RNA sequence: GCCAGUUUAGCUCAGUGGUAGAGCAACGGUUUUGUAAACCGUCGGUCGUCGGUUCAAAUCCGACAACUGGCUCCA
């Protein structure tokens, strides 16, 4: 059974209602699919009349319809549903548009007629009632009717059900009503439809081909990585020797590129104390995405010391309480509050601070010293910034590290190498002044583009994520002016450098706007492969400052950037991008020398070639075995060895080797020195 | 975390109530070959885990785990 995901971008339609204008733009294929959703609803109602329908839009590769139903629909039911659908299509009923008044629509929804085959007394069309509320006053309300099925729908549709030329139900999933995790959970049935059978067959063939380049499949075939859920844990890939070769090539590329761009490399531990993440603001808001802390037990001496401090604090607080009471009483006596307001304020401020300290000490007394696995590298880098006093002369300061982070992603979110719990990030933080910001930000974008050129990455989208005013103080730090200012700066950089981008509101990081580079996996899932973020909030929380020309301490801006994302996701993506056929510089098996047979003379001729390549750090091996020659070629091909150097009697006599490329077949015999020089140049230049 | 499905040898998969099979890989032989697969043999599985039903369970039922497709999430 085909079970594809045709709805990778399906999340959005629920939250944002399509305007009538958008609807008018629907392509013919979208109309077919939208109509097919109605046909499917008709069929489901014939089988289970109590079904209540919510949304049923077309999506990228098909359509879905969300419904609530006493029967739990499983793929086993698909045949029965499809049979009913076939009947409805064969009946070739017209899809009639009926315009009604709001009152009429509400009455029909209350009677259960909407999204039904007939009135269903006592079972109002509850989702349709809710949808009606979302239709703005003054906008026309329309139904579409095919056979007995009437649905609240703005269309557009194809003329008749018979216009649905080919269709197939593909999968069933749970979906939250309006995408709200706390809202009711509906059954979502996915299907796809096409103008005709041929188009549908082409689609499914394409899906099958895409599955062949799935990084999980190729990763196993090529021995790149393994995920040992039993002993290591889900989402924690083990890099096998061949995968590690790719990892190290990428790191080498990053090191060279960053060195040239003036970055400084640093290294940081994988753990930090609780205070780090309380200060950064990641705790408690992101605690869910972090592995739970490990607590170190306290020894008797430490307990005694804590007890002493707690006692002292309590005593101070007691005295402070008394002071404040005194002040308040004095105020009452004097009758004037204004003059003394400041004094009182300070006292309260001090009390607040002491109470927080007391809470923290009491907590430490209870659970000992807490350490967290880092979920991000920024706080560590901030502490590196803080480790030595900084002057404006030190800026921009670019700290780079391939940092290992751990994130406790929900079990259902894990996905091969693309979404993991242990990750190696191509991270760097650039500390700069406001004046330096635009140029630094642009330089980072240029670095992205340079990388994408090396990898021949053409299909990507730059997404500029901004904040949303309603999230201020909740999802986003409450600095409206700074948000506006930094967003304007970023937007200007993007426009000035002529970069194509889409702007998305309410997707920013909590500390600032960002640019993500979106790519699509072989099976169509969307991923952020690289990121470039502005941070105007966290450096201040850590009290990071530099001494400026005017001898004043100022807080730097921080740019978080990861052009190569994480090794996990980037390599996962590259596997699919190249379908496992890596360019020479990245290929785990770069060269294999294959002798025609195990004739000692041939082997003696081959050995120095292998030795010379190895001496030049080329990943080369040799097959001198007596295995039939064709089989030796086949073995190397299956392993995806990039370059095969074939050596037979003819080559030996001519001082040549015969070159065969995994992606290109036999290239003929060439002088061996030329072949070696070629290989070395190709690797050095990272030629595609 | 939620819904549905899946889980049999290193890999790809067959096996629907009578105590486990194939191909490839691996290993040992034989084979001496000019660009994708020579032949013979051997090894390899507590059928995801735990529990239940049964004279008998890979097979039926339940719980748990992992994976897959979606949903939600993604600093």
């Amino acid at each position: 059974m085909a079970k594809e995901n045709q709805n990778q971008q399906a999340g959005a339609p629920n939250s944002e209602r399509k305007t009538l204008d958008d609807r008018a733009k629907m392509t013919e294929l979208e109309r077919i699919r939208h109509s097919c959703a109605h046909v499917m609803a008709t069929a489901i109602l014939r089988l289970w009349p109590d079904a209540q329908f919510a949304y049923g839009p077309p999506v990228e590769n098909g359509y879905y319809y969300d419904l609530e139903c006493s029967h739990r629909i499983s793929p086993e039911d698909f045949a029965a549903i499809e049979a009913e659908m076939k009947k409805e299509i064969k009946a070739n009923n017209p899809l009639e548009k009926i315009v009604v008044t709001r009152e009429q629509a509400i009455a029909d929804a209350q009677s259960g007629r909407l999204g039904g085959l007939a009135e269903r007394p006592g079972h109002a069309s509850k989702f349709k009632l809710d949808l009606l509320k979302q239709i703005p006053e003054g906008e026309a309300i329309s139904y579409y009717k095919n056979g007995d099925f009437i649905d609240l729908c703005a269309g557009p549709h194809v003329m008749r059900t018979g216009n649905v030329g080919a269709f197939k139900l593909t999968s069933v999933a749970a979906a939250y009503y309006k995408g709200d995790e706390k809202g009711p959970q509906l059954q979502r049935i996915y299907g796809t439809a096409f103008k005709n059978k041929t188009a549908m067959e082409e689609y499914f063939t394409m899906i099958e081909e895409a599955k062949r380049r799935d990084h999980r499949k190729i990763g196993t075939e090529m021995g790149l990585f393994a995920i040992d859920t039993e002993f290591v844990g889900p989402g924690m890939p083990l890099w096998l020797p061949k995968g590690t070769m790719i990892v190290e090539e990428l790191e080498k590329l990053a090191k060279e590129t960053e060195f040239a761009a003036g970055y400084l490399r640093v290294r940081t531990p994988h753990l930090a104390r609780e205070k780090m993440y309380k200060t950064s603001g990641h705790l408690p808001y992101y605690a869910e995405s972090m592995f739970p802390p490990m607590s170190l037990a306290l020894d008797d001496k430490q307990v005694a010391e804590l007890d002493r401090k707690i006692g002292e604090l309590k005593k101070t607080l007691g005295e402070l309480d008394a002071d404040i009471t005194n002040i308040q009483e004095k105020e009452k006596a004097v009758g004037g509050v204004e003059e003394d307001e400041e004094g009182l304020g300070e006292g309260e401020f001090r009390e607040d601070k002491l109470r927080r300290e007391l809470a923290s000490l009491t907590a430490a007394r209870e659970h000992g010293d807490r350490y967290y696995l880092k979920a991000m590298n920024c706080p560590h880098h901030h502490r590196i910034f803080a480790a030595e006093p900084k002057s404006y002369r030190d800026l921009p300061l670019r700290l780079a590290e391939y940092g290992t982070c751990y994130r406790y992603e929900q079990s259902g979110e894990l996905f091969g190498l693309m979404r993991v719990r242990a990750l190696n990030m191509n991270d760097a933080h650039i500390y700069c002044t406001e004046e330096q910001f635009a140029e630094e930000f642009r330089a980072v974008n240029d670095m992205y583009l340079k990388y994408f050129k090396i990898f021949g990455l053409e299909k990507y989208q730059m997404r500029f994520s901004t904040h949303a005013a309603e999230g201020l103080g909740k999802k986003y730090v409450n600095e409206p002016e700074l948000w506006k200012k930094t967003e304007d700066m970023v937007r200007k950089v993007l426009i000035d450098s002529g970069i194509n981008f889409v702007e998305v509101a309410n997707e920013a990081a909590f500390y600032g706007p960002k640019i993500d580079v979106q790519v699509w996996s072989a099976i169509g899932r969307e991923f952020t492969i690289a990121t470039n973020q502005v941070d105007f909030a966290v450096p201040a929380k850590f009290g990071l400052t530099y001494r400026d020309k005017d001898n004043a301490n100022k807080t730097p801006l921080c740019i978080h950037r990861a052009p190569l994302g994480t090794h996990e996701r980037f390599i996962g993506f590259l596997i699919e991008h190249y379908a496992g056929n890596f360019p020479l510089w990245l290929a785990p098996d770069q060269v294999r020398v294959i002798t025609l047979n195990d004739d000692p003379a041939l082997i003696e001729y081959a050995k120095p070639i292998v030795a010379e390549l190895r001496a030049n750090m080329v990943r080369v091996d040799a097959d001198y075995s007596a295995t039939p020659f064709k089989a030796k070629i086949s073995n190397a091909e299956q392993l995806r060895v990039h370059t095969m150097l074939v050596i037979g009697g003819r080559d030996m006599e001519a001082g040549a080797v015969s070159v065969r490329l995994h992606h290109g077949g036999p290239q003929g015999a060439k002088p061996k020195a030329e072949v070696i020089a070629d290989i070395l140049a190709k690797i050095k230049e990272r030629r595609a």
Side-chain angles (χ1 to χ4, degrees), chain A residues 5 7 72 176 181 185 216 289 376 410-411 413 598 626 638 649-651 660:
Chain A
N5 66 323
N7 61 314
R72 205 163 269 302
Y176 301 104
E181 202 176 357
Q185 199 171 44
R216 294 165 295 190
S289 308
M376 66 292 295
Q410 287 187 52
S411 58
E413 291 162 354
D598 64 349
Q638 280 174 55
R650 293 204 297 259
D651 303 291
R660 180 189 168 102

Coordinates of all heavy atoms in Angstrom, one line a residue, chain A residues 5 7 72 176 181 185 216 289 376 410-411 413 598 626 638 649-651 660, chain B residues 1-4 32-37 68-75:
Chain A
N5 N 3.5 11.0 2.0 CA 3.0 12.3 2.7 C 2.8 13.3 1.6 O 3.7 13.7 1.0 CB 4.0 12.7 3.7 CG 5.3 13.2 3.1 OD1 5.7 12.6 2.1 ND2 5.9 14.2 3.6
N7 N 1.3 16.1 2.2 CA 0.8 17.3 2.8 C 1.8 18.0 3.7 O 1.5 18.5 4.7 CB -0.4 16.9 3.7 CG 0.1 16.0 4.7 OD1 0.8 15.1 4.4 ND2 -0.2 16.2 5.9
R72 N -13.6 4.2 13.8 CA -12.2 4.6 13.6 C -11.7 4.1 12.2 O -11.6 2.9 12.0 CB -11.3 4.1 14.7 CG -10.1 4.9 14.9 CD -9.4 4.6 16.2 NE -9.9 5.5 17.3 CZ -9.8 6.8 17.3 NH1 -9.4 7.5 16.2 NH2 -10.2 7.5 18.3
Y176 N -5.3 17.9 14.8 CA -6.0 18.6 15.8 C -6.8 19.7 15.1 O -6.4 20.3 14.1 CB -5.0 19.4 16.7 CG -4.1 18.4 17.5 CD1 -2.8 18.2 17.1 CD2 -4.6 17.7 18.5 CE1 -2.0 17.3 17.7 CE2 -3.8 16.8 19.2 CZ -2.5 16.6 18.8 OH -1.7 15.7 19.5
E181 N -3.2 21.9 19.6 CA -2.9 20.7 20.3 C -3.9 20.4 21.4 O -4.1 19.2 21.8 CB -1.5 20.8 20.9 CG -0.8 19.5 21.1 CD 0.6 19.7 21.6 OE1 1.1 20.9 21.7 OE2 1.2 18.7 21.9
Q185 N -9.4 16.2 18.7 CA -8.6 15.5 17.7 C -9.4 14.9 16.7 O -10.4 14.2 17.0 CB -7.7 14.5 18.4 CG -6.5 14.1 17.5 CD -5.5 13.3 18.2 OE1 -5.9 12.4 18.9 NE2 -4.2 13.6 18.0
R216 N 17.8 7.4 4.9 CA 17.9 6.3 5.9 C 18.2 5.0 5.2 O 19.0 4.2 5.7 CB 16.5 6.1 6.5 CG 16.2 7.3 7.4 CD 14.7 7.4 7.8 NE 13.9 7.5 6.6 CZ 12.6 7.8 6.7 NH1 12.0 7.9 7.8 NH2 11.9 8.0 5.6
S289 N 12.3 20.8 26.0 CA 13.1 20.4 24.9 C 14.5 20.0 25.3 O 15.4 19.7 24.5 CB 13.2 21.4 23.8 OG 12.0 21.9 23.5
M376 N 22.1 24.1 23.1 CA 22.6 25.1 22.2 C 23.9 25.6 22.7 O 24.3 25.4 23.9 CB 21.6 26.3 22.1 CG 21.4 27.1 23.4 SD 20.6 26.2 24.8 CE 19.0 26.0 24.1
Q410 N 10.4 15.4 20.9 CA 9.3 14.4 21.2 C 9.5 13.2 20.3 O 10.0 13.3 19.2 CB 8.0 15.1 20.8 CG 7.5 16.1 21.8 CD 6.1 16.5 21.5 OE1 5.2 15.7 21.3 NE2 5.9 17.8 21.4
S411 N 9.1 12.0 20.9 CA 9.4 10.8 20.2 C 8.9 10.8 18.7 O 9.6 10.3 17.8 CB 8.9 9.6 20.9 OG 7.5 9.8 21.1
E413 N 8.7 13.1 16.7 CA 9.3 14.1 15.8 C 10.6 13.5 15.2 O 11.2 14.1 14.3 CB 9.6 15.3 16.6 CG 8.3 16.1 16.9 CD 8.5 17.1 18.0 OE1 9.6 17.2 18.6 OE2 7.6 17.8 18.3
D598 N 44.7 -11.8 -10.2 CA 45.7 -11.7 -9.1 C 47.1 -12.0 -9.6 O 47.9 -12.5 -8.8 CB 45.3 -12.6 -7.9 CG 45.3 -14.1 -8.3 OD1 45.4 -14.4 -9.5 OD2 45.1 -14.9 -7.4
A626 N 41.3 -12.8 -6.9 CA 41.1 -13.6 -8.1 C 39.6 -13.7 -8.5 O 39.3 -14.4 -9.4 CB 41.6 -15.0 -7.8
Q638 N 28.5 -1.1 -6.5 CA 27.5 -1.2 -5.5 C 27.9 -0.4 -4.3 O 27.1 0.2 -3.5 CB 27.2 -2.6 -5.1 CG 26.3 -3.2 -6.1 CD 26.1 -4.7 -5.9 OE1 25.7 -5.1 -4.8 NE2 26.4 -5.5 -6.8
G649 N 47.0 -6.1 -18.2 CA 48.3 -6.2 -18.8 C 48.5 -5.0 -19.8 O 49.6 -4.5 -19.8
R650 N 47.5 -4.6 -20.5 CA 47.7 -3.5 -21.5 C 48.1 -2.2 -20.8 O 48.9 -1.5 -21.3 CB 46.3 -3.3 -22.2 CG 45.9 -4.4 -23.1 CD 44.9 -3.9 -24.1 NE 43.7 -3.3 -23.6 CZ 42.5 -4.0 -23.6 NH1 42.4 -5.2 -24.0 NH2 41.5 -3.4 -23.1
D651 N 47.5 -2.0 -19.6 CA 47.8 -0.8 -18.9 C 49.2 -0.8 -18.4 O 49.9 0.2 -18.5 CB 46.8 -0.6 -17.7 CG 45.4 -0.6 -18.1 OD1 45.0 0.4 -18.8 OD2 44.7 -1.5 -17.8
R660 N 37.5 4.3 -14.5 CA 36.1 4.1 -14.5 C 35.4 5.0 -13.4 O 35.9 4.9 -12.3 CB 35.7 2.7 -14.4 CG 34.2 2.4 -14.5 CD 33.8 1.0 -14.1 NE 32.4 0.9 -13.9 CZ 31.5 0.4 -14.8 NH1 32.0 -0.1 -15.9 NH2 30.2 0.4 -14.6
Chain B
rG1 P 6.3 9.7 24.5 OP1 6.5 9.5 25.8 OP2 7.1 9.4 23.4 O5' 5.0 10.6 24.2 C5' 4.3 10.9 25.3 C4' 3.2 11.9 24.9 O4' 3.9 13.0 24.2 C3' 2.2 11.4 23.9 O3' 1.2 10.6 24.5 C2' 1.7 12.7 23.3 O2' 0.8 13.3 24.1 C1' 3.0 13.5 23.2 N9 3.7 13.4 21.9 C8 4.9 12.8 21.7 N7 5.3 12.8 20.5 C5 4.3 13.4 19.8 C6 4.1 13.7 18.4 O6 4.9 13.5 17.5 N1 2.9 14.4 18.2 C2 1.9 14.6 19.2 N2 0.8 15.2 18.7 N3 2.1 14.4 20.4 C4 3.3 13.8 20.7
rC2 P 0.5 9.4 23.8 OP1 -0.5 8.8 24.7 OP2 1.5 8.6 23.1 O5' -0.4 10.2 22.7 C5' -1.5 11.0 23.0 C4' -2.2 11.5 21.8 O4' -1.4 12.4 21.1 C3' -2.5 10.4 20.8 O3' -3.7 9.7 21.1 C2' -2.6 11.2 19.5 O2' -3.9 11.8 19.4 C1' -1.5 12.2 19.7 N1 -0.3 11.8 19.1 C2 -0.1 11.9 17.7 O2 -1.0 12.4 17.0 N3 1.1 11.6 17.1 C4 2.1 11.0 17.9 N4 3.2 10.7 17.3 C5 1.9 10.9 19.3 C6 0.7 11.2 19.8
rC3 P -3.8 8.1 20.7 OP1 -5.1 7.6 21.4 OP2 -2.6 7.5 20.9 O5' -4.1 8.2 19.1 C5' -5.4 8.6 18.6 C4' -5.4 8.5 17.1 O4' -4.4 9.4 16.6 C3' -5.0 7.2 16.6 O3' -6.0 6.3 16.5 C2' -4.5 7.6 15.2 O2' -5.7 7.8 14.3 C1' -3.8 8.9 15.4 N1 -2.4 8.7 15.6 C2 -1.6 8.7 14.4 O2 -2.1 8.7 13.3 N3 -0.2 8.5 14.5 C4 0.3 8.4 15.8 N4 1.6 8.3 15.8 C5 -0.5 8.5 16.9 C6 -1.8 8.7 16.8
rA4 P -5.7 4.7 16.6 OP1 -7.0 4.0 16.7 OP2 -4.7 4.5 17.7 O5' -5.1 4.4 15.2 C5' -5.9 4.2 14.1 C4' -5.0 4.1 12.9 O4' -4.1 5.2 12.8 C3' -4.1 2.9 12.8 O3' -4.7 1.7 12.4 C2' -3.1 3.4 11.8 O2' -3.6 3.3 10.5 C1' -2.9 4.8 12.2 N9 -1.8 5.0 13.1 C8 -1.8 5.1 14.5 N7 -0.6 5.2 15.0 C5 0.2 5.2 13.9 C6 1.6 5.2 13.8 N6 2.5 5.4 14.9 N1 2.2 5.1 12.6 C2 1.4 5.0 11.5 N3 0.0 4.9 11.5 C4 -0.5 5.0 12.7
rU32 P 40.8 -21.1 -14.2 OP1 40.8 -21.5 -15.6 OP2 41.9 -21.6 -13.2 O5' 40.8 -19.5 -14.1 C5' 40.3 -18.7 -15.2 C4' 41.0 -17.3 -15.1 O4' 41.2 -17.0 -13.7 C3' 42.3 -17.3 -15.8 O3' 42.4 -16.1 -16.5 C2' 43.3 -17.3 -14.6 O2' 44.5 -16.5 -14.9 C1' 42.5 -16.5 -13.5 N1 43.0 -16.9 -12.2 C2 43.5 -15.9 -11.4 O2 43.7 -14.7 -11.8 N3 43.9 -16.2 -10.1 C4 43.8 -17.5 -9.6 O4 44.3 -17.7 -8.5 C5 43.2 -18.5 -10.4 C6 42.8 -18.2 -11.7
rU33 P 42.3 -15.9 -18.0 OP1 41.4 -17.0 -18.5 OP2 43.7 -15.8 -18.6 O5' 41.6 -14.5 -18.1 C5' 40.6 -14.3 -19.0 C4' 39.3 -13.8 -18.3 O4' 39.3 -14.5 -17.0 C3' 39.2 -12.3 -18.0 O3' 38.1 -11.8 -18.6 C2' 39.0 -12.3 -16.5 O2' 38.1 -11.3 -16.1 C1' 38.5 -13.6 -16.2 N1 38.6 -14.1 -14.8 C2 37.6 -15.0 -14.3 O2 36.7 -15.4 -15.0 N3 37.8 -15.4 -13.0 C4 38.8 -15.1 -12.2 O4 38.8 -15.5 -11.0 C5 39.8 -14.2 -12.7 C6 39.7 -13.7 -14.0
rG34 P 38.3 -11.0 -20.0 OP1 37.0 -11.2 -20.8 OP2 39.6 -11.5 -20.6 O5' 38.5 -9.5 -19.6 C5' 37.6 -8.9 -18.7 C4' 37.5 -7.4 -19.0 O4' 38.8 -6.8 -18.8 C3' 37.1 -7.0 -20.4 O3' 36.3 -5.9 -20.3 C2' 38.4 -6.7 -21.1 O2' 38.3 -5.7 -22.1 C1' 39.2 -6.1 -19.9 N9 40.7 -6.2 -20.0 C8 41.4 -7.3 -20.3 N7 42.7 -7.1 -20.3 C5 42.8 -5.7 -20.0 C6 43.9 -4.9 -19.9 O6 45.1 -5.3 -20.0 N1 43.6 -3.6 -19.6 C2 42.3 -3.2 -19.5 N2 42.2 -1.9 -19.2 N3 41.3 -3.9 -19.6 C4 41.6 -5.2 -19.9
rU35 P 34.9 -5.7 -21.0 OP1 34.3 -7.1 -21.2 OP2 35.0 -4.8 -22.2 O5' 34.0 -5.0 -19.9 C5' 33.7 -5.7 -18.7 C4' 33.4 -4.7 -17.6 O4' 34.6 -4.0 -17.2 C3' 32.4 -3.6 -18.1 O3' 31.6 -3.2 -17.0 C2' 33.4 -2.4 -18.4 O2' 32.8 -1.2 -18.2 C1' 34.4 -2.7 -17.3 N1 35.7 -2.1 -17.6 C2 36.1 -0.9 -16.9 O2 35.4 -0.4 -16.1 N3 37.3 -0.4 -17.3 C4 38.2 -0.9 -18.2 O4 39.3 -0.3 -18.4 C5 37.8 -2.1 -18.9 C6 36.6 -2.6 -18.6
rA36 P 30.1 -3.4 -17.0 OP1 29.7 -4.5 -17.8 OP2 29.5 -2.0 -17.3 O5' 29.7 -3.7 -15.5 C5' 30.3 -4.9 -14.9 C4' 29.3 -5.4 -13.9 O4' 28.9 -4.5 -12.9 C3' 27.9 -5.8 -14.6 O3' 27.4 -6.9 -13.9 C2' 27.1 -4.6 -14.4 O2' 25.7 -4.9 -14.3 C1' 27.6 -4.2 -13.0 N9 27.4 -2.7 -12.8 C8 27.8 -1.7 -13.5 N7 27.5 -0.5 -13.1 C5 26.8 -0.8 -11.9 C6 26.1 0.0 -11.0 N6 26.1 1.3 -11.1 N1 25.5 -0.6 -10.0 C2 25.5 -1.9 -9.9 N3 26.1 -2.8 -10.7 C4 26.7 -2.2 -11.7
rA37 P 27.1 -8.3 -14.7 OP1 27.5 -8.0 -16.1 OP2 25.8 -8.6 -14.4 O5' 28.1 -9.3 -14.0 C5' 28.9 -8.9 -12.9 C4' 28.8 -10.0 -11.8 O4' 28.3 -9.4 -10.6 C3' 27.9 -11.1 -12.2 O3' 28.4 -12.4 -12.0 C2' 26.6 -10.8 -11.4 O2' 25.9 -11.9 -11.0 C1' 27.1 -10.0 -10.3 N9 26.2 -8.8 -10.0 C8 25.5 -8.0 -10.8 N7 24.8 -7.1 -10.2 C5 25.0 -7.4 -8.9 C6 24.5 -6.8 -7.7 N6 23.7 -5.7 -7.7 N1 24.8 -7.3 -6.5 C2 25.7 -8.3 -6.5 N3 26.2 -9.0 -7.5 C4 25.8 -8.4 -8.7
rU68 P 11.8 6.3 11.3 OP1 12.8 6.8 10.4 OP2 11.3 7.2 12.4 O5' 10.5 5.9 10.5 C5' 10.7 5.2 9.3 C4' 9.3 4.9 8.7 O4' 8.5 4.1 9.6 C3' 8.4 6.1 8.5 O3' 8.8 6.9 7.3 C2' 7.0 5.5 8.4 O2' 6.9 4.9 7.1 C1' 7.1 4.4 9.4 N1 6.6 4.9 10.8 C2 5.3 4.9 11.0 O2 4.5 4.5 10.1 N3 4.9 5.3 12.2 C4 5.7 5.7 13.2 O4 5.2 6.1 14.3 C5 7.1 5.7 12.9 C6 7.5 5.3 11.7
rG69 P 8.6 8.4 7.3 OP1 9.3 8.9 6.1 OP2 8.9 9.0 8.6 O5' 7.0 8.5 7.0 C5' 6.4 8.0 5.9 C4' 4.9 8.2 5.9 O4' 4.4 7.4 6.9 C3' 4.5 9.6 6.4 O3' 4.6 10.6 5.3 C2' 3.1 9.4 6.9 O2' 2.2 9.3 5.8 C1' 3.3 8.0 7.5 N9 3.5 8.1 9.0 C8 4.8 8.2 9.6 N7 4.7 8.3 10.9 C5 3.3 8.3 11.1 C6 2.6 8.4 12.4 O6 3.1 8.4 13.5 N1 1.2 8.3 12.2 C2 0.6 8.2 11.0 N2 -0.7 8.2 11.0 N3 1.3 8.2 9.8 C4 2.6 8.2 10.0
rG70 P 4.9 12.1 5.6 OP1 5.3 12.7 4.3 OP2 5.8 12.2 6.8 O5' 3.4 12.6 6.0 C5' 3.3 13.5 7.1 C4' 1.8 13.4 7.5 O4' 1.6 12.1 8.1 C3' 1.5 14.4 8.6 O3' 1.1 15.6 8.0 C2' 0.4 13.7 9.3 O2' -0.8 13.8 8.6 C1' 0.8 12.2 9.3 N9 1.7 11.9 10.4 C8 3.1 11.7 10.3 N7 3.6 11.4 11.5 C5 2.6 11.6 12.4 C6 2.5 11.5 13.8 O6 3.5 11.2 14.6 N1 1.3 11.7 14.3 C2 0.1 12.0 13.6 N2 -1.0 12.1 14.2 N3 0.2 12.1 12.2 C4 1.4 11.9 11.7
rC71 P 1.6 16.9 8.8 OP1 1.1 18.1 8.0 OP2 3.0 16.9 9.1 O5' 0.8 16.9 10.1 C5' -0.7 17.0 10.1 C4' -1.2 17.0 11.5 O4' -0.9 15.7 12.1 C3' -0.5 18.0 12.5 O3' -1.1 19.3 12.3 C2' -0.8 17.4 13.8 O2' -2.1 17.6 14.2 C1' -0.6 15.9 13.5 N1 0.7 15.4 13.8 C2 1.1 15.2 15.2 O2 0.2 15.4 16.0 N3 2.3 14.8 15.5 C4 3.2 14.6 14.5 N4 4.4 14.2 14.9 C5 2.9 14.8 13.1 C6 1.7 15.3 12.8
rU72 P -0.1 20.6 12.4 OP1 -1.0 21.7 12.2 OP2 1.1 20.4 11.6 O5' 0.3 20.5 14.0 C5' -0.5 20.9 15.0 C4' 0.1 20.6 16.3 O4' 0.4 19.2 16.4 C3' 1.4 21.3 16.6 O3' 1.3 22.6 17.0 C2' 2.0 20.4 17.7 O2' 1.4 20.7 18.9 C1' 1.6 19.0 17.2 N1 2.7 18.5 16.3 C2 3.7 17.8 17.0 O2 3.7 17.7 18.2 N3 4.7 17.3 16.2 C4 4.7 17.4 14.8 O4 5.7 16.9 14.2 C5 3.6 18.1 14.2 C6 2.7 18.6 15.0
rC73 P 2.3 23.7 16.5 OP1 1.9 25.0 17.1 OP2 2.5 23.6 15.0 O5' 3.7 23.2 17.1 C5' 4.0 23.3 18.5 C4' 5.2 22.6 18.8 O4' 5.2 21.2 18.3 C3' 6.5 23.2 18.2 O3' 7.0 24.3 19.0 C2' 7.5 22.0 18.3 O2' 7.9 21.8 19.6 C1' 6.5 20.9 17.9 N1 6.6 20.6 16.5 C2 7.7 19.8 16.0 O2 8.5 19.4 16.8 N3 7.8 19.5 14.7 C4 6.8 20.0 13.9 N4 7.0 19.7 12.6 C5 5.7 20.8 14.3 C6 5.7 21.1 15.6
rC74 P 7.6 25.6 18.2 OP1 7.8 26.6 19.2 OP2 6.8 25.9 17.0 O5' 9.0 25.0 17.7 C5' 10.0 24.6 18.6 C4' 11.1 23.9 17.8 O4' 10.6 22.7 17.2 C3' 11.7 24.7 16.7 O3' 12.7 25.6 17.2 C2' 12.3 23.6 15.9 O2' 13.5 23.1 16.4 C1' 11.3 22.5 15.9 N1 10.3 22.6 14.8 C2 10.6 21.9 13.6 O2 11.7 21.3 13.6 N3 9.8 22.0 12.6 C4 8.6 22.7 12.7 N4 7.8 22.7 11.7 C5 8.3 23.3 13.9 C6 9.1 23.3 14.9
rA75 P 12.7 27.1 16.7 OP1 11.6 27.8 17.3 OP2 12.8 27.0 15.2 O5' 14.1 27.7 17.2 C5' 14.3 29.0 17.5 C4' 15.4 29.2 18.5 O4' 14.8 28.8 19.8 C3' 16.5 28.2 18.3 O3' 17.5 28.7 17.4 C2' 17.1 28.1 19.7 O2' 17.8 29.2 20.0 C1' 15.8 28.1 20.5 N9 15.3 26.7 20.8 C8 14.5 26.0 20.1 N7 14.2 24.8 20.6 C5 15.0 24.7 21.7 C6 15.3 23.8 22.6 N6 14.7 22.6 22.6 N1 16.1 24.0 23.6 C2 16.7 25.2 23.6 N3 16.6 26.2 22.8 C4 15.7 25.9 21.8

